[in-house]
Amino acid sequence: MRINKYIAMSGVASRRKADELIENGNVKVNSITLKSPGYDVKEGDIVEVNGRIIEAEEKKVYLMLNKPVGYITSVKDEHMRPTVMDLVTDIEARVFPVGRLDFNTSGLLLLTNDGDFAYKVAHPKHSTGKTYRAKVQGIISREKLAKLRRGVDIGGFVTSPAQANIVKELPKHTVVEITIHEGRYRQVRKMFKAIGNPVEELERIAIGSVKLGRLAVGGYRKLTKEEIEALK
Ligand code: URA
């Protein structure tokens, strides 16, 4: 098996990322740093990525977590803040988060040890829609809604077409469901700020056709076969 596929199957990185790791000298086979991404892994080979021995056969695990506000989407945090990994306690596999949610954003976060799956779901090229429920300040006019749908300049970047619908109008706030197909840093917050309605609360409620549903805040569960297939 090609070394990049072997690394992806171990869940450490996508195939593309694996090629980068090899290029950067982070991969060893039988204690020798690999020079070529064309290497074929043989029976009995010991493969190390960043000094850690990996194995391709680890069973694939796919989880959804209802991330609470106040957790970092990362495996580790330099500042010792709580990370989403603190919430996933009884899973053997070395799962990692797929994409990220801000510290102050709650909702649907996928975790897996399948590098190729993570790349596909998180990468904008594959355009898996991410749906958010945003409670924003003020009233959203028809014109503003049309702008969100058409594309908003968020500072040197115009967002691509999105779905956006008002789900609730409160005296001083509006609740909007918005589906975007790209994932710029703090994109949803920037989009609402750009139209003059800053976000007060943000929750991701779906990725593609997979919905958060009634999962308790801080809780997690395995994805069903159908959900995994739908995202693939
Ligand atoms: N957009 C944001 O602004 N924040 C998130 O966490 C996700 C999307």
Side-chain angles (χ1 to χ4, degrees):
M1 185 192 300
R2 271 290 272 262
I3 182 73
N4 61 0
K5 185 170 183 201
Y6 188 95
I7 293 172
M9 279 185 69
S10 79
V12 170
S14 67
R15 267 183 236 195
R16 179 186 291 206
K17 193 90 190 142
D19 284 334
E20 273 175 44
L21 288 166
I22 296 161
E23 224 171 270
N24 296 334
N26 299 102
V27 178
K28 282 184 184 171
V29 176
N30 304 326
S31 304
I32 296 164
T33 302
L34 259 199
K35 296 222 165 57
S36 146
Y39 185 80
D40 276 319
V41 180
K42 292 170 222 38
E43 192 84 55
D45 275 350
I46 295 177
V47 180
E48 282 172 66
V49 176
N50 290 324
R52 199 174 77 191
I53 295 173
I54 58 156
E55 274 167 44
E57 277 84 35
E58 191 168 72
K59 197 172 173 299
K60 295 289 173 277
V61 175
Y62 306 89
L63 304 174
M64 73 153 72
L65 167 76
N66 188 350
K67 176 194 171 298
V69 165
Y71 282 77
I72 298 281
T73 305
S74 166
V75 176
K76 271 192 206 134
D77 183 53
E78 287 172 10
H79 307 290
M80 305 294 284
R81 287 170 296 186
T83 77
V84 293
M85 302 312 291
D86 297 333
L87 299 164
V88 181
T89 48
D90 64 350
I91 298 291
E92 298 275 295
R94 286 163 299 189
V95 294
F96 56 87
V98 178
R100 62 185 299 282
L101 289 176
D102 299 336
F103 187 72
N104 287 325
T105 302
S106 64
L108 175 52
L109 184 70
L110 299 174
L111 298 119
T112 185
N113 57 351
D114 182 341
D116 282 334
F117 174 88
Y119 179 76
K120 211 165 174 188
V121 173
H123 203 280
K125 185 177 82 184
H126 300 287
S127 81
T128 310
K130 316 268 178 351
T131 303
Y132 297 85
R133 185 184 288 245
K135 183 180 175 193
V136 305
Q137 288 175 16
I139 306 295
I140 304 261
S141 62
R142 277 170 178 274
E143 290 71 31
K144 284 183 172 185
L145 198 60
K147 224 170 174 182
L148 285 173
R149 289 175 177 160
R150 245 192 344 257
V152 189
D153 189 336
I154 56 169
F157 175 78
V158 178
T159 57
S160 14
Q163 287 87 47
N165 292 297
I166 292 173
V167 293
K168 209 186 259 181
E169 285 180 319
L170 302 162
K172 291 184 176 163
H173 295 90
T174 308
V175 180
V176 182
E177 278 185 14
I178 182 163
T179 302
I180 59 171
H181 298 269
E182 53 206 345
R184 296 278 164 152
Y185 179 63
R186 295 174 78 82
Q187 179 166 334
V188 175
R189 293 176 194 274
K190 285 179 182 168
M191 288 172 81
F192 282 101
K193 194 162 180 223
I195 60 160
N197 300 83
V199 168
E200 285 201 352
E201 289 168 26
L202 189 61
E203 181 188 23
R204 182 155 66 193
I205 57 171
I207 296 178
S209 59
V210 174
K211 295 188 170 63
L212 179 62
R214 291 179 181 277
L215 189 59
V217 176
Y220 62 92
R221 67 162 173 87
K222 287 191 174 160
L223 294 188
T224 64
K225 271 204 188 79
E226 291 73 25
E227 287 172 331
I228 298 164
E229 283 314 310
L231 289 169
K232 278 183 174 169

